[in-house]
Amino acid sequence: MSKFAVYLKKHRGAVSGIALVLLVAAIFWVVNSPAVVGAAASKRSLPIYSVERPDKTVAISFDAAWGNEDTQSLIDTLKKYSVNATFFVVGAWVDKYPDSVKALADAGNEVMNHSDDHAHFAKLSADEIKKNINACSDKIEAVTGVRPTLFRCPYGEYNDNVVDTVSSMNMKTIQWDVDSLDWKGISADEITQRVLKNVKSGSIILFHNAAENTPAALPGILEALQKDGYTIVPISKLLLEGDCTIDNTGRQCPAMSATSVELVPETPAASTTAAPGTTAAPDTGTTAIPSPGATAATTAAPSPVKTPCPTATPCPTKTPCPTKTPCPTKTPCPTKTVIAPVE
């Protein structure tokens, strides 16, 4: 048996401990590697929570799953301020209140899909999701004549399967970045403060159709937003079209168009053309926001004439090192005293 084998046998516990530490370190590095984390994040499917807008534009939305006592009041308030909103309705609500659904659409508001029965979509298969959404869309289209293009998950509950399945149906999954919390029964003042404190350009604000104090809060919120320079539109008009991305916060952003410019030395000018915008998404019947990145020519500035380098200044004469001082003579150690053992 070799000496190495004998060593391993004698120190098997220590070797096993070192191997375990190295394995844990390797796993930790892989899990936290930027490349691995980035790859995992890039595969995650997210709904749209808000939109990157250069202007002060926001959208107001209402979820309607129960009750219609306040629906006409909300319609009247929106009309008073010349605002149209997006109502996400459940198929069962359409069955129960078809006249309210028609009134919403006739007033210029969007009527979009909030599932057929307010199920937990994260627990459904792709086929079940499609069947549920189509059932609700069929009911909405039968009343309004317009098939929904947007979907909001019941309970705001989703996973990759939900978002990917909705996308495969040529629909967009919509969340929100400003929650009024009106469903908790908080006062109109609290609802107003929450909304105005958190709103920003591109925000999607969430209300509920049958919340107790939303009708009282809505006029003040609309007045304050308009006074602050915000334009309020339905969600489909807030969304960007064309080549877009969704960042890790759920914010829809225009994709960056890459322009490559190469400067050739001693050439007066060089010309390059930006990549043209990509094909826009299918028309949803709403006003589209122009896609950034249309074809444009960019002329490079001429290379400047090189300035000769200044004459180098000679290095100063080196100062010689001082003479080393010799080390002192070592003092010999004293003779050791031998102590006799005690008898």
Side-chain angles (χ1 to χ4, degrees), residues 176-184 186-199 205-207 221:
W176 60 88
D177 67 329
V178 179
D179 190 347
S180 67
L181 293 183
D182 57 353
W183 59 272
K184 285 189 170 184
I186 61 177
S187 69
D189 286 343
E190 289 175 298
I191 293 172
T192 301
Q193 290 172 15
R194 278 192 58 84
V195 171
L196 299 182
K197 176 183 177 182
N198 296 299
V199 73
I205 305 169
L206 170 66
F207 294 104
I221 291 172

PDB file of all heavy atoms in Angstrom, residues 176-184 186-199 205-207 221:
ATOM      1  N   TRP A 176     -50.860  45.499 -11.442  1.00  0.00           N
ATOM      2  CA  TRP A 176     -50.966  46.901 -11.042  1.00  0.00           C
ATOM      3  C   TRP A 176     -49.758  47.254 -10.183  1.00  0.00           C
ATOM      4  O   TRP A 176     -49.125  46.378  -9.591  1.00  0.00           O
ATOM      5  CB  TRP A 176     -52.262  47.140 -10.244  1.00  0.00           C
ATOM      6  CG  TRP A 176     -52.308  46.292  -8.999  1.00  0.00           C
ATOM      7  CD1 TRP A 176     -51.821  46.596  -7.769  1.00  0.00           C
ATOM      8  CD2 TRP A 176     -52.843  44.957  -8.897  1.00  0.00           C
ATOM      9  NE1 TRP A 176     -52.016  45.553  -6.885  1.00  0.00           N
ATOM     10  CE2 TRP A 176     -52.640  44.523  -7.558  1.00  0.00           C
ATOM     11  CE3 TRP A 176     -53.464  44.092  -9.792  1.00  0.00           C
ATOM     12  CZ2 TRP A 176     -53.045  43.283  -7.108  1.00  0.00           C
ATOM     13  CZ3 TRP A 176     -53.864  42.839  -9.344  1.00  0.00           C
ATOM     14  CH2 TRP A 176     -53.666  42.456  -8.007  1.00  0.00           C
ATOM     15  N   ASP A 177     -49.412  48.521 -10.121  1.00  0.00           N
ATOM     16  CA  ASP A 177     -48.326  48.949  -9.226  1.00  0.00           C
ATOM     17  C   ASP A 177     -48.818  49.905  -8.143  1.00  0.00           C
ATOM     18  O   ASP A 177     -48.057  50.275  -7.255  1.00  0.00           O
ATOM     19  CB  ASP A 177     -47.171  49.579 -10.015  1.00  0.00           C
ATOM     20  CG  ASP A 177     -47.546  50.903 -10.661  1.00  0.00           C
ATOM     21  OD1 ASP A 177     -48.725  51.081 -11.026  1.00  0.00           O
ATOM     22  OD2 ASP A 177     -46.653  51.765 -10.814  1.00  0.00           O
ATOM     23  N   VAL A 178     -50.088  50.308  -8.232  1.00  0.00           N
ATOM     24  CA  VAL A 178     -50.691  51.149  -7.190  1.00  0.00           C
ATOM     25  C   VAL A 178     -51.983  50.479  -6.741  1.00  0.00           C
ATOM     26  O   VAL A 178     -52.946  50.386  -7.505  1.00  0.00           O
ATOM     27  CB  VAL A 178     -50.987  52.575  -7.692  1.00  0.00           C
ATOM     28  CG1 VAL A 178     -51.637  53.406  -6.585  1.00  0.00           C
ATOM     29  CG2 VAL A 178     -49.709  53.262  -8.179  1.00  0.00           C
ATOM     30  N   ASP A 179     -51.989  50.006  -5.507  1.00  0.00           N
ATOM     31  CA  ASP A 179     -53.162  49.310  -4.952  1.00  0.00           C
ATOM     32  C   ASP A 179     -53.878  50.249  -3.991  1.00  0.00           C
ATOM     33  O   ASP A 179     -53.317  50.653  -2.971  1.00  0.00           O
ATOM     34  CB  ASP A 179     -52.706  48.048  -4.226  1.00  0.00           C
ATOM     35  CG  ASP A 179     -53.872  47.147  -3.820  1.00  0.00           C
ATOM     36  OD1 ASP A 179     -55.030  47.616  -3.875  1.00  0.00           O
ATOM     37  OD2 ASP A 179     -53.630  45.991  -3.445  1.00  0.00           O
ATOM     38  N   SER A 180     -55.111  50.592  -4.306  1.00  0.00           N
ATOM     39  CA  SER A 180     -55.881  51.502  -3.454  1.00  0.00           C
ATOM     40  C   SER A 180     -56.274  50.849  -2.126  1.00  0.00           C
ATOM     41  O   SER A 180     -56.603  51.555  -1.162  1.00  0.00           O
ATOM     42  CB  SER A 180     -57.143  51.945  -4.181  1.00  0.00           C
ATOM     43  OG  SER A 180     -58.027  50.843  -4.362  1.00  0.00           O
ATOM     44  N   LEU A 181     -56.261  49.520  -2.085  1.00  0.00           N
ATOM     45  CA  LEU A 181     -56.719  48.755  -0.910  1.00  0.00           C
ATOM     46  C   LEU A 181     -58.161  49.091  -0.535  1.00  0.00           C
ATOM     47  O   LEU A 181     -58.573  48.942   0.622  1.00  0.00           O
ATOM     48  CB  LEU A 181     -55.801  48.992   0.305  1.00  0.00           C
ATOM     49  CG  LEU A 181     -54.369  48.454   0.190  1.00  0.00           C
ATOM     50  CD1 LEU A 181     -53.616  48.703   1.494  1.00  0.00           C
ATOM     51  CD2 LEU A 181     -54.361  46.960  -0.140  1.00  0.00           C
ATOM     52  N   ASP A 182     -58.933  49.529  -1.540  1.00  0.00           N
ATOM     53  CA  ASP A 182     -60.336  49.891  -1.255  1.00  0.00           C
ATOM     54  C   ASP A 182     -61.152  48.698  -0.793  1.00  0.00           C
ATOM     55  O   ASP A 182     -62.143  48.842  -0.077  1.00  0.00           O
ATOM     56  CB  ASP A 182     -60.979  50.544  -2.486  1.00  0.00           C
ATOM     57  CG  ASP A 182     -60.914  49.668  -3.724  1.00  0.00           C
ATOM     58  OD1 ASP A 182     -60.262  48.598  -3.694  1.00  0.00           O
ATOM     59  OD2 ASP A 182     -61.517  50.054  -4.751  1.00  0.00           O
ATOM     60  N   TRP A 183     -60.720  47.490  -1.183  1.00  0.00           N
ATOM     61  CA  TRP A 183     -61.459  46.290  -0.796  1.00  0.00           C
ATOM     62  C   TRP A 183     -61.410  46.036   0.714  1.00  0.00           C
ATOM     63  O   TRP A 183     -62.217  45.273   1.248  1.00  0.00           O
ATOM     64  CB  TRP A 183     -60.913  45.077  -1.537  1.00  0.00           C
ATOM     65  CG  TRP A 183     -59.445  44.830  -1.285  1.00  0.00           C
ATOM     66  CD1 TRP A 183     -58.400  45.363  -1.968  1.00  0.00           C
ATOM     67  CD2 TRP A 183     -58.874  44.008  -0.275  1.00  0.00           C
ATOM     68  NE1 TRP A 183     -57.203  44.927  -1.458  1.00  0.00           N
ATOM     69  CE2 TRP A 183     -57.461  44.077  -0.417  1.00  0.00           C
ATOM     70  CE3 TRP A 183     -59.403  43.199   0.738  1.00  0.00           C
ATOM     71  CZ2 TRP A 183     -56.582  43.386   0.412  1.00  0.00           C
ATOM     72  CZ3 TRP A 183     -58.521  42.511   1.564  1.00  0.00           C
ATOM     73  CH2 TRP A 183     -57.131  42.603   1.398  1.00  0.00           C
ATOM     74  N   LYS A 184     -60.476  46.686   1.410  1.00  0.00           N
ATOM     75  CA  LYS A 184     -60.371  46.504   2.860  1.00  0.00           C
ATOM     76  C   LYS A 184     -61.385  47.348   3.628  1.00  0.00           C
ATOM     77  O   LYS A 184     -61.470  47.249   4.848  1.00  0.00           O
ATOM     78  CB  LYS A 184     -58.967  46.870   3.333  1.00  0.00           C
ATOM     79  CG  LYS A 184     -57.911  45.837   2.995  1.00  0.00           C
ATOM     80  CD  LYS A 184     -56.589  46.158   3.686  1.00  0.00           C
ATOM     81  CE  LYS A 184     -55.604  45.023   3.548  1.00  0.00           C
ATOM     82  NZ  LYS A 184     -54.339  45.286   4.297  1.00  0.00           N
ATOM     83  N   ILE A 186     -61.291  50.656   3.844  1.00  0.00           N
ATOM     84  CA  ILE A 186     -60.678  51.859   4.419  1.00  0.00           C
ATOM     85  C   ILE A 186     -61.427  53.091   3.937  1.00  0.00           C
ATOM     86  O   ILE A 186     -62.166  53.055   2.956  1.00  0.00           O
ATOM     87  CB  ILE A 186     -59.180  51.951   4.072  1.00  0.00           C
ATOM     88  CG1 ILE A 186     -58.989  52.028   2.553  1.00  0.00           C
ATOM     89  CG2 ILE A 186     -58.433  50.751   4.634  1.00  0.00           C
ATOM     90  CD1 ILE A 186     -57.520  52.193   2.132  1.00  0.00           C
ATOM     91  N   SER A 187     -61.224  54.215   4.614  1.00  0.00           N
ATOM     92  CA  SER A 187     -61.983  55.428   4.317  1.00  0.00           C
ATOM     93  C   SER A 187     -61.597  56.011   2.961  1.00  0.00           C
ATOM     94  O   SER A 187     -60.545  55.685   2.392  1.00  0.00           O
ATOM     95  CB  SER A 187     -61.729  56.477   5.404  1.00  0.00           C
ATOM     96  OG  SER A 187     -60.393  56.954   5.332  1.00  0.00           O
ATOM     97  N   ALA A 188     -62.453  56.908   2.467  1.00  0.00           N
ATOM     98  CA  ALA A 188     -62.186  57.573   1.186  1.00  0.00           C
ATOM     99  C   ALA A 188     -60.886  58.377   1.252  1.00  0.00           C
ATOM    100  O   ALA A 188     -60.112  58.415   0.287  1.00  0.00           O
ATOM    101  CB  ALA A 188     -63.360  58.482   0.815  1.00  0.00           C
ATOM    102  N   ASP A 189     -60.632  59.027   2.403  1.00  0.00           N
ATOM    103  CA  ASP A 189     -59.387  59.801   2.552  1.00  0.00           C
ATOM    104  C   ASP A 189     -58.160  58.896   2.484  1.00  0.00           C
ATOM    105  O   ASP A 189     -57.151  59.251   1.865  1.00  0.00           O
ATOM    106  CB  ASP A 189     -59.389  60.564   3.888  1.00  0.00           C
ATOM    107  CG  ASP A 189     -60.316  61.769   3.870  1.00  0.00           C
ATOM    108  OD1 ASP A 189     -60.690  62.196   2.749  1.00  0.00           O
ATOM    109  OD2 ASP A 189     -60.676  62.270   4.950  1.00  0.00           O
ATOM    110  N   GLU A 190     -58.248  57.733   3.121  1.00  0.00           N
ATOM    111  CA  GLU A 190     -57.113  56.801   3.096  1.00  0.00           C
ATOM    112  C   GLU A 190     -56.874  56.263   1.686  1.00  0.00           C
ATOM    113  O   GLU A 190     -55.723  56.122   1.248  1.00  0.00           O
ATOM    114  CB  GLU A 190     -57.372  55.641   4.062  1.00  0.00           C
ATOM    115  CG  GLU A 190     -57.304  56.030   5.530  1.00  0.00           C
ATOM    116  CD  GLU A 190     -57.685  54.867   6.435  1.00  0.00           C
ATOM    117  OE1 GLU A 190     -58.844  54.391   6.352  1.00  0.00           O
ATOM    118  OE2 GLU A 190     -56.819  54.432   7.211  1.00  0.00           O
ATOM    119  N   ILE A 191     -57.956  55.985   0.977  1.00  0.00           N
ATOM    120  CA  ILE A 191     -57.824  55.523  -0.416  1.00  0.00           C
ATOM    121  C   ILE A 191     -57.126  56.599  -1.249  1.00  0.00           C
ATOM    122  O   ILE A 191     -56.187  56.317  -2.004  1.00  0.00           O
ATOM    123  CB  ILE A 191     -59.208  55.204  -1.014  1.00  0.00           C
ATOM    124  CG1 ILE A 191     -59.825  53.995  -0.316  1.00  0.00           C
ATOM    125  CG2 ILE A 191     -59.098  54.949  -2.514  1.00  0.00           C
ATOM    126  CD1 ILE A 191     -61.266  53.730  -0.696  1.00  0.00           C
ATOM    127  N   THR A 192     -57.579  57.827  -1.094  1.00  0.00           N
ATOM    128  CA  THR A 192     -57.009  58.944  -1.862  1.00  0.00           C
ATOM    129  C   THR A 192     -55.525  59.124  -1.556  1.00  0.00           C
ATOM    130  O   THR A 192     -54.703  59.288  -2.469  1.00  0.00           O
ATOM    131  CB  THR A 192     -57.773  60.243  -1.541  1.00  0.00           C
ATOM    132  OG1 THR A 192     -59.153  60.058  -1.868  1.00  0.00           O
ATOM    133  CG2 THR A 192     -57.207  61.404  -2.340  1.00  0.00           C
ATOM    134  N   GLN A 193     -55.168  59.107  -0.285  1.00  0.00           N
ATOM    135  CA  GLN A 193     -53.781  59.293   0.114  1.00  0.00           C
ATOM    136  C   GLN A 193     -52.889  58.185  -0.432  1.00  0.00           C
ATOM    137  O   GLN A 193     -51.786  58.440  -0.911  1.00  0.00           O
ATOM    138  CB  GLN A 193     -53.671  59.358   1.640  1.00  0.00           C
ATOM    139  CG  GLN A 193     -54.258  60.626   2.244  1.00  0.00           C
ATOM    140  CD  GLN A 193     -54.319  60.576   3.760  1.00  0.00           C
ATOM    141  OE1 GLN A 193     -53.681  59.726   4.394  1.00  0.00           O
ATOM    142  NE2 GLN A 193     -55.100  61.473   4.361  1.00  0.00           N
ATOM    143  N   ARG A 194     -53.368  56.953  -0.376  1.00  0.00           N
ATOM    144  CA  ARG A 194     -52.572  55.829  -0.883  1.00  0.00           C
ATOM    145  C   ARG A 194     -52.293  55.982  -2.374  1.00  0.00           C
ATOM    146  O   ARG A 194     -51.167  55.773  -2.838  1.00  0.00           O
ATOM    147  CB  ARG A 194     -53.293  54.498  -0.644  1.00  0.00           C
ATOM    148  CG  ARG A 194     -53.140  53.931   0.742  1.00  0.00           C
ATOM    149  CD  ARG A 194     -53.638  52.497   0.770  1.00  0.00           C
ATOM    150  NE  ARG A 194     -52.926  51.661  -0.176  1.00  0.00           N
ATOM    151  CZ  ARG A 194     -51.755  51.078   0.067  1.00  0.00           C
ATOM    152  NH1 ARG A 194     -51.158  51.253   1.231  1.00  0.00           N
ATOM    153  NH2 ARG A 194     -51.176  50.322  -0.850  1.00  0.00           N
ATOM    154  N   VAL A 195     -53.311  56.327  -3.129  1.00  0.00           N
ATOM    155  CA  VAL A 195     -53.156  56.440  -4.576  1.00  0.00           C
ATOM    156  C   VAL A 195     -52.225  57.587  -4.947  1.00  0.00           C
ATOM    157  O   VAL A 195     -51.261  57.416  -5.702  1.00  0.00           O
ATOM    158  CB  VAL A 195     -54.524  56.606  -5.257  1.00  0.00           C
ATOM    159  CG1 VAL A 195     -54.344  56.938  -6.743  1.00  0.00           C
ATOM    160  CG2 VAL A 195     -55.363  55.344  -5.099  1.00  0.00           C
ATOM    161  N   LEU A 196     -52.489  58.764  -4.416  1.00  0.00           N
ATOM    162  CA  LEU A 196     -51.714  59.944  -4.798  1.00  0.00           C
ATOM    163  C   LEU A 196     -50.268  59.862  -4.310  1.00  0.00           C
ATOM    164  O   LEU A 196     -49.362  60.442  -4.928  1.00  0.00           O
ATOM    165  CB  LEU A 196     -52.386  61.211  -4.268  1.00  0.00           C
ATOM    166  CG  LEU A 196     -53.802  61.467  -4.804  1.00  0.00           C
ATOM    167  CD1 LEU A 196     -54.350  62.773  -4.238  1.00  0.00           C
ATOM    168  CD2 LEU A 196     -53.813  61.488  -6.334  1.00  0.00           C
ATOM    169  N   LYS A 197     -50.036  59.145  -3.219  1.00  0.00           N
ATOM    170  CA  LYS A 197     -48.679  59.010  -2.693  1.00  0.00           C
ATOM    171  C   LYS A 197     -47.823  58.099  -3.576  1.00  0.00           C
ATOM    172  O   LYS A 197     -46.616  58.315  -3.718  1.00  0.00           O
ATOM    173  CB  LYS A 197     -48.735  58.443  -1.266  1.00  0.00           C
ATOM    174  CG  LYS A 197     -47.362  58.174  -0.653  1.00  0.00           C
ATOM    175  CD  LYS A 197     -47.501  57.548   0.731  1.00  0.00           C
ATOM    176  CE  LYS A 197     -46.148  57.208   1.339  1.00  0.00           C
ATOM    177  NZ  LYS A 197     -46.282  56.558   2.683  1.00  0.00           N
ATOM    178  N   ASN A 198     -48.438  57.090  -4.188  1.00  0.00           N
ATOM    179  CA  ASN A 198     -47.667  56.068  -4.905  1.00  0.00           C
ATOM    180  C   ASN A 198     -47.714  56.170  -6.421  1.00  0.00           C
ATOM    181  O   ASN A 198     -46.960  55.479  -7.114  1.00  0.00           O
ATOM    182  CB  ASN A 198     -48.161  54.674  -4.494  1.00  0.00           C
ATOM    183  CG  ASN A 198     -47.919  54.386  -3.025  1.00  0.00           C
ATOM    184  OD1 ASN A 198     -46.792  54.369  -2.569  1.00  0.00           O
ATOM    185  ND2 ASN A 198     -48.993  54.160  -2.274  1.00  0.00           N
ATOM    186  N   VAL A 199     -48.575  57.009  -6.959  1.00  0.00           N
ATOM    187  CA  VAL A 199     -48.718  57.079  -8.412  1.00  0.00           C
ATOM    188  C   VAL A 199     -47.498  57.742  -9.043  1.00  0.00           C
ATOM    189  O   VAL A 199     -46.854  58.611  -8.461  1.00  0.00           O
ATOM    190  CB  VAL A 199     -50.011  57.846  -8.785  1.00  0.00           C
ATOM    191  CG1 VAL A 199     -49.861  59.348  -8.516  1.00  0.00           C
ATOM    192  CG2 VAL A 199     -50.386  57.593 -10.241  1.00  0.00           C
ATOM    193  N   ILE A 205     -53.452  51.757 -11.730  1.00  0.00           N
ATOM    194  CA  ILE A 205     -54.068  51.883 -10.410  1.00  0.00           C
ATOM    195  C   ILE A 205     -55.211  50.873 -10.288  1.00  0.00           C
ATOM    196  O   ILE A 205     -56.022  50.722 -11.207  1.00  0.00           O
ATOM    197  CB  ILE A 205     -54.596  53.321 -10.201  1.00  0.00           C
ATOM    198  CG1 ILE A 205     -53.470  54.339 -10.434  1.00  0.00           C
ATOM    199  CG2 ILE A 205     -55.179  53.489  -8.803  1.00  0.00           C
ATOM    200  CD1 ILE A 205     -53.944  55.775 -10.521  1.00  0.00           C
ATOM    201  N   LEU A 206     -55.263  50.207  -9.143  1.00  0.00           N
ATOM    202  CA  LEU A 206     -56.284  49.181  -8.912  1.00  0.00           C
ATOM    203  C   LEU A 206     -57.377  49.670  -7.960  1.00  0.00           C
ATOM    204  O   LEU A 206     -57.095  50.102  -6.840  1.00  0.00           O
ATOM    205  CB  LEU A 206     -55.631  47.921  -8.329  1.00  0.00           C
ATOM    206  CG  LEU A 206     -56.590  46.833  -7.816  1.00  0.00           C
ATOM    207  CD1 LEU A 206     -57.382  46.221  -8.967  1.00  0.00           C
ATOM    208  CD2 LEU A 206     -55.827  45.755  -7.063  1.00  0.00           C
ATOM    209  N   PHE A 207     -58.620  49.579  -8.437  1.00  0.00           N
ATOM    210  CA  PHE A 207     -59.807  49.788  -7.602  1.00  0.00           C
ATOM    211  C   PHE A 207     -60.714  48.567  -7.765  1.00  0.00           C
ATOM    212  O   PHE A 207     -60.455  47.687  -8.597  1.00  0.00           O
ATOM    213  CB  PHE A 207     -60.588  51.039  -8.037  1.00  0.00           C
ATOM    214  CG  PHE A 207     -59.874  52.337  -7.836  1.00  0.00           C
ATOM    215  CD1 PHE A 207     -59.303  53.008  -8.918  1.00  0.00           C
ATOM    216  CD2 PHE A 207     -59.772  52.923  -6.577  1.00  0.00           C
ATOM    217  CE1 PHE A 207     -58.656  54.224  -8.743  1.00  0.00           C
ATOM    218  CE2 PHE A 207     -59.130  54.133  -6.395  1.00  0.00           C
ATOM    219  CZ  PHE A 207     -58.563  54.787  -7.480  1.00  0.00           C
ATOM    220  N   ILE A 221     -59.573  61.934  -6.422  1.00  0.00           N
ATOM    221  CA  ILE A 221     -58.377  61.356  -7.052  1.00  0.00           C
ATOM    222  C   ILE A 221     -58.249  61.839  -8.495  1.00  0.00           C
ATOM    223  O   ILE A 221     -57.160  62.245  -8.938  1.00  0.00           O
ATOM    224  CB  ILE A 221     -58.441  59.816  -6.988  1.00  0.00           C
ATOM    225  CG1 ILE A 221     -58.294  59.343  -5.538  1.00  0.00           C
ATOM    226  CG2 ILE A 221     -57.363  59.186  -7.867  1.00  0.00           C
ATOM    227  CD1 ILE A 221     -58.538  57.866  -5.335  1.00  0.00           C
TER     228      ILE A 221
END
